[in-house]
Amino acid sequence: MEPFIPSLSQDQILWKKLKNGDQQAIAQIYKDYYPRLLNYGLKIKHNEDFVKDCIQETFYDLLQYMNRLGHTDNILLYLVASLRRKIFRKLKYDFSFRIDENIYTTLELTENSLEDSVDDKEWGLLRKRKFKTLIDELPARQKQALLMRFFLGLDYTDIAEVMEVNIQSVRNLVHQAIKSLREEVTEDFY
């Protein structure tokens, strides 16, 4: 009988190649994750050039410290956490930046299909705007947890790591956000 050898995930394989200095690995990671990182970064700071610079610096750090990188089996989580720290570290010294209640409000919601009538499309857009407004009224930490949970698709453990809190705190934040949204949604919303 052959011994059991656990298979490595694509992220683990790609990360191992990166750590071994494979330039194609960094190019693949960049290609795969850059759009999601840009989208995430723009939720924090609405300045595309600033966010692009932070992403470039994050990848530069990967190259510079590749022989000292730790283990990860989720590259997106690693990059989101790194980018988040870089953005907030830079913003700490940017006096023009003020953390406001709008940094995590733009969740992508689906619109009605083309087959729907014009009235249904208009109603759908109104619902989408109202829902975004309700999300905008949530406290910043709740919005951040919702963004990572439902927009980036991260699980509670990953969100806790990024936000540097325990898992139960993340669950509480998401639960409170959903509870608040449910309380605000009235029957005429639909």
Side-chain angles (χ1 to χ4, degrees):
M1 176 182 257
E2 293 183 34
F4 173 73
I5 302 173
S7 63
L8 296 174
S9 72
Q10 287 294 94
D11 274 3
Q12 289 172 320
I13 293 168
L14 201 53
W15 194 254
K16 188 173 184 177
K17 287 180 180 180
L18 168 69
K19 287 174 62 171
N20 291 330
D22 186 338
Q23 295 297 313
Q24 288 180 336
I26 191 72
Q28 186 65 44
I29 292 169
Y30 188 85
K31 180 181 162 221
D32 290 348
Y33 295 107
Y34 180 84
R36 289 166 84 178
L37 292 173
L38 179 62
N39 204 359
Y40 175 74
L42 288 172
K43 304 290 188 245
I44 299 172
K45 175 77 170 166
H46 301 292
N47 181 329
E48 192 168 337
D49 291 333
F50 175 84
V51 173
K52 285 180 177 181
D53 287 345
C54 289
I55 293 171
Q56 294 298 328
E57 289 176 23
T58 300
F59 277 93
Y60 176 78
D61 291 346
L62 282 180
L63 288 171
Q64 187 173 358
Y65 303 111
M66 72 175 68
N67 59 346
R68 291 189 266 164
L69 293 174
H71 171 75
T72 188
D73 56 0
N74 188 331
I75 294 174
L76 177 61
L77 172 63
Y78 185 92
L79 293 174
V80 164
S82 297
L83 179 61
R84 180 178 183 269
R85 279 191 304 273
K86 180 146 321 267
I87 289 172
F88 281 110
R89 195 174 301 127
K90 289 181 91 169
L91 291 176
K92 184 177 182 182
Y93 301 104
D94 179 4
F95 297 111
S96 67
F97 177 77
R98 299 283 186 264
I99 295 179
D100 62 11
E101 292 295 313
N102 297 319
I103 62 176
Y104 297 107
T105 60
T106 317
L107 294 177
E108 291 297 320
L109 304 173
T110 60
E111 294 185 31
N112 293 334
S113 66
L114 294 175
E115 305 84 50
D116 294 338
S117 68
V118 173
D119 288 339
D120 286 345
K121 286 183 184 179
E122 289 175 10
W123 184 245
L125 289 173
L126 287 172
R127 287 192 329 233
K128 182 178 177 180
R129 284 187 198 123
K130 181 168 179 153
F131 192 66
K132 283 185 177 184
T133 301
L134 292 174
I135 291 172
D136 187 41
E137 294 170 357
L138 292 171
R141 300 284 284 172
Q142 289 179 10
K143 286 185 277 188
Q144 182 182 16
L146 275 179
L147 169 71
M148 286 190 270
R149 179 71 179 123
F150 297 110
F151 183 76
L152 291 177
L154 298 178
D155 63 26
Y156 290 111
T157 306
D158 296 341
I159 296 168
E161 189 174 324
V162 170
M163 292 180 73
E164 298 175 347
V165 297
N166 64 43
I167 296 169
Q168 189 57 49
S169 295
V170 173
R171 289 183 187 278
N172 292 345
L173 288 168
V174 171
H175 173 76
Q176 283 301 112
I178 292 171
K179 182 180 174 184
S180 296
L181 290 173
R182 279 188 186 143
E183 289 171 357
E184 293 296 322
V185 175
T186 61
E187 288 185 25
D188 63 11
F189 186 80
Y190 296 103

